[in-house]
Each structure stands twice: as C-alpha cells, then as structure tokens.
Amino acid sequence: MSVMYIQGGVPLEGEWQVQGAKNSVLPILAGCLLTREPVAIANCPRLSDVEAAVDILHHLGARCTWEGDTLVVDAAGACGTSIDEGRMRAMRSSIIFLGPLAARMGEATLTYPGGCELGPRPIDLHLAALREMGCRVEEADGLITCMGKPRGGVVSLAFPSVGATENAMLCAVGARGDTTIVNAAREPEIVQLQEFLNLLGGKVWGAGGSVITIQGGHQLHGGHISILGDRIVAATLLSGVAAAGGEVQVQGVDWRHLSTVLQLFEQAGCRVRSGTRSIWFRRRRDTPMRAAPPIRTAPYPGFPTDAQAPVMAAFATARGTTIFQETIFSRRFGHVPGLRAMGADISLHGGGAWVRGVSGLHGAQVTATDLRGGGALAVAALSAQGETQLSGLEHIDRGYERLEEMFGRLGAQIQRR
C-alpha cells in the first residue's frame, strides 16, 4: 500500500484549478441510464468512486470511454437489473442507481452500499421515495428489490437528504405523470443534476429550493455537460493554506457554494477576495488564526459536514478554543486520533469537538479512516514540523484527484510512494 510523505512548515503559493465535483458526477453517471443515446461528461474527475460507478455501468451493459478529461457514457445496450454486493460496497453512494434502474427497467435488485464508515446512513428515505412513486420495494436477506414502473406523486422527505432527493429526481423523470419532492435538499449538486436532466430533454424545475417538480414521461436524448468545481476540495485546499500560511488563487469554483467556510476563515483572520469563478485566499505566516465562533454542520446552505474535518485541522493551531458540532453523521470525528497524534488538543463530548489551539503540530505516522478525514490529516501535516507519513490513501482517492499534486504544485513538500 502506498504512503504519502509530507514535510510540513512550507507555505502554499500559487494558483490551482479545482477538479470536478465527486458529489455532482456520481448521480449524473447513474442518470445516464435514463437515455439510450451517448452522454459526454466533461471535467470528470478521475476518482476511485468514479471508477466504481463506471464498473457498475459496465456491469449493467453500458459502454464508458475516456476522451481526455471527458467521460462518454453510452447506455443504449444497458439491460441489467441487478448489482452485486461487491460493486455496491465499492462506494457509499451506489444506492443512487436504484431510481434510474426502476425508471428504465421497472425492476432492480441491489444489496446495501458500502464506502466510508461515518456512522449510520439509513437508506430508508430513498426506499420511501420510490414507494411513494408506486414501486414495490422490499428488503430481505440483505437484498433490496424494487418492482413496478414508477408513477408520479408527492414525495415528502422527512430530512433534506441529498441522495434521496437525487434518487427521487432520477426516478421521477422516467415515471408516468408529475412528481413533487417536498423538503428537497438544496445543494449545488442538486441544481446541476436538474441542469443535466433538462439538457437531455427532461422537465425539472425548483432545484436550489425546498420543492422540486418533475414532469415525467419525456423521452431523453444524449447531451454534453461539464461538471462544476468541487467545493469540498476547494475547502480542503483553503484549509491547507490557513494551516500552513501562504497566498493561493483557487480557480473554477463558485464562492457562493463555500460562503459559510469563507466567512469562518475571515472571522479567524484570513484574507479572502471572491470573483465569479475564483477565490483569492491569504493567511500570513506571522499571524496565527484566531478561534472561531461555534461551528455547527447543517444541510446546505449551512456549514457542510464534508468540510468539517479539514477545517478542524486548520483550527488546531488557532489561538483560543473552537467548537465543532457535528449534526449529520454520528462518526465523523475519525480524524481526531490522527490530529491528536500530531499534537492537537481536541476533546470529544457527544456530537461536539472542542479544539484548543496549540502553538504547533509535529509530524507523525497517521492513517486515514475516511475520505474527508484523510484530507484533514493532510492539511494538518502541511503545518506540522517534521515529516508526516499518511497511509489509508484508498480513502483519500475516493474523492481527491491526486491530492499530492494539488498541494505539491503550490509548494508543499509532498510525495506518494
């Protein structure tokens, strides 16, 4: 297994074009099953989660080919209705294929998804949404079976789940009649999924708000879409600059998608200037950050749970105490033992983490146990004195495209070997 070696204490300087968003491309890949014509997906990140989704598409009978950074999916020959346990467990969001399969084939058999261990992520909202669209969904012996062509209806989500909203949208496009999703998730990735479906000939509106309406039954054609910049990768990069110091221009990301993170860093003493598609960010090396007001993760437009870990790593050396309250996942503090091994002073109480800033971190041997926790350990290593050896890179590769290149191009002393 490869290890990342990071020599800390070097400020980050320069410009970086952020990768395409993992959380946007995965539902779009699943949505390619809704058309029998080719779909070209530009700015598609090369991630292990994308590879897992492509493997599922191949298994179902679709063809996928890379043309530079564009992935072309032709699902004309897709005829499979089941996804085995190995493929389902290869990524946490594999349940997103349930809705498109139900819409296209009228049946689907899946096992439970895998991925990072962040605590329970019940899929009951996904299953309830399909039931409200007339599908017969059963769970038995580790299998999820879905039968019957979906029809329009009202899908009222008990929680604004991103995945359940996406699954309902994808299923509803192929349903008979109109569907209304109430208490829908409002993330930018939901807005792009609406854009994608409409580019292919669907009739979807309301994304970005809490009510989404889908007019079902329209035959979809092929098309071309470019994936938006990954706001969580951008937040990780900015956390690295906040931790190590320096001045960086991040290109290809909408600052509005990161407003809560940017506001937090500004309160801590960092300088931020935002353009239409770029963010300029600086933290002076001779001026430590200040502790921030309590941070509480929440569905968009609140503070993103995916940014909690890397931002926490940046605040490990801020003056004062910063409190992080995690409300989405019960086990999202898996990075804390690694930060403590590097000298951070963090105590956990229920769903909260009290981060008391220390004067500095030191290198250590640490292991990533989940995707964003791995990003957090890399951020901490950038500011630490000495060398950090970071393993568990298979988690990092799920959502960061060549993390070592991103930081290395900005001056970090970082190698994977």
Side-chain angles (χ1 to χ4, degrees):
M1 300 295 288
S2 58
V3 175
M4 204 173 286
Y5 296 84
I6 306 169
Q7 191 73 34
V10 179
L12 303 183
E13 307 282 348
E15 184 177 304
W16 184 256
Q17 178 78 27
V18 79
Q19 69 183 60
K22 174 182 84 78
N23 291 336
S24 185
V25 72
L26 294 180
I28 285 173
L29 284 170
C32 291
L33 291 172
L34 296 171
T35 177
R36 298 178 185 274
E37 298 182 10
V39 176
I41 305 170
N43 197 32
C44 184
R46 299 256 188 166
L47 307 169
S48 59
D49 266 13
V50 170
E51 293 173 359
V54 166
D55 183 50
I56 289 173
L57 287 168
H58 280 305
H59 171 71
L60 295 173
R63 291 187 300 153
C64 305
T65 55
W66 286 95
E67 299 175 1
D69 72 347
T70 297
L71 180 62
V72 180
V73 181
D74 185 350
C79 58
T81 60
S82 65
I83 306 174
D84 59 89
E85 182 179 10
R87 289 182 171 87
M88 285 295 294
R89 292 193 63 79
M91 70 173 184
R92 194 167 169 84
S93 56
S94 53
I95 193 66
I96 197 64
F97 283 90
L98 181 61
L101 278 176
R104 175 166 176 157
M105 309 300 297
E107 61 178 292
T109 303
L110 285 67
T111 67
Y112 292 93
C116 292
E117 294 299 328
L118 304 177
R121 182 187 243 179
I123 60 171
D124 55 337
L125 295 180
H126 299 249
L127 308 186
L130 267 66
R131 289 187 180 111
E132 290 186 43
M133 284 186 274
C135 297
R136 299 188 305 278
V137 182
E138 297 180 357
E139 299 175 79
D141 301 322
L143 293 178
I144 303 166
T145 58
C146 180
M147 300 294 294
K149 291 288 287 185
R151 61 174 184 270
V154 176
V155 176
S156 184
L157 297 176
F159 176 83
S161 161
V162 174
T165 300
E166 293 166 341
N167 238 335
M169 290 171 68
L170 292 167
C171 187
V173 166
R176 300 186 302 273
D178 298 348
T179 299
T180 301
I181 305 172
V182 180
N183 197 26
R186 300 165 59 188
E187 273 74 358
E189 294 80 13
I190 300 289
V191 176
Q192 179 150 74
L193 181 59
Q194 172 180 276
E195 175 194 359
F196 167 73
L197 294 171
N198 288 341
L199 282 171
L200 269 56
K203 303 294 181 183
V204 184
W205 58 95
S210 59
V211 178
I212 299 174
T213 304
I214 303 100
Q215 192 179 89
H218 294 276
Q219 184 171 348
L220 302 189
H221 49 73
H224 177 282
I225 191 167
S226 182
I227 300 300
L228 58 82
D230 196 312
R231 60 194 172 101
I232 305 303
V233 171
T236 304
L237 174 53
L238 297 178
S239 296
V241 182
E247 181 178 329
V248 166
Q249 185 98 3
V250 183
Q251 301 285 356
V253 65
D254 190 330
W255 70 270
R256 293 169 296 183
H257 300 165
L258 278 171
S259 59
T260 54
V261 175
L262 296 177
Q263 181 182 37
L264 182 72
F265 280 130
E266 282 188 296
Q267 291 173 329
C270 299
R271 295 286 304 279
V272 180
R273 286 203 306 266
S274 303
T276 306
R277 296 277 295 161
S278 67
I279 299 169
W280 174 86
F281 188 94
R282 184 176 73 179
R283 203 273 286 174
R284 291 173 58 95
R285 291 269 296 169
D286 58 358
T287 308
M289 289 201 305
R290 301 183 295 271
I295 300 159
R296 181 181 176 87
T297 63
Y300 190 86
F303 191 91
T305 179
D306 282 354
Q308 175 256 108
V311 169
M312 182 187 294
F315 275 89
T317 55
R319 293 196 303 261
T321 299
T322 305
I323 301 172
F324 290 79
Q325 198 73 26
E326 176 58 55
T327 69
I328 308 297
F329 294 116
S330 62
R331 292 203 296 269
R332 192 122 218 193
F333 292 136
H335 53 285
V336 169
L339 294 179
R340 285 173 175 161
M342 300 170 72
D345 183 358
I346 303 173
S347 57
L348 301 179
H349 306 280
W354 273 249
V355 183
R356 288 170 284 275
V358 296
S359 59
L361 302 177
H362 55 77
Q365 293 185 7
V366 293
T367 302
T369 59
D370 64 82
L371 168 57
R372 304 307 174 188
L377 296 178
V379 165
L382 294 172
S383 71
Q385 292 300 311
E387 182 180 81
T388 297
Q389 298 179 21
L390 174 58
S391 58
L393 303 188
E394 67 276 9
H395 295 291
I396 291 174
D397 293 340
R398 286 187 47 238
Y400 294 102
E401 186 177 34
R402 302 185 304 277
L403 181 72
E404 66 277 12
E405 181 180 342
M406 178 177 75
F407 285 130
R409 290 283 185 90
L410 298 172
Q413 296 182 18
I414 179 170
Q415 289 185 339
R416 179 192 293 235
R417 56 181 187 267

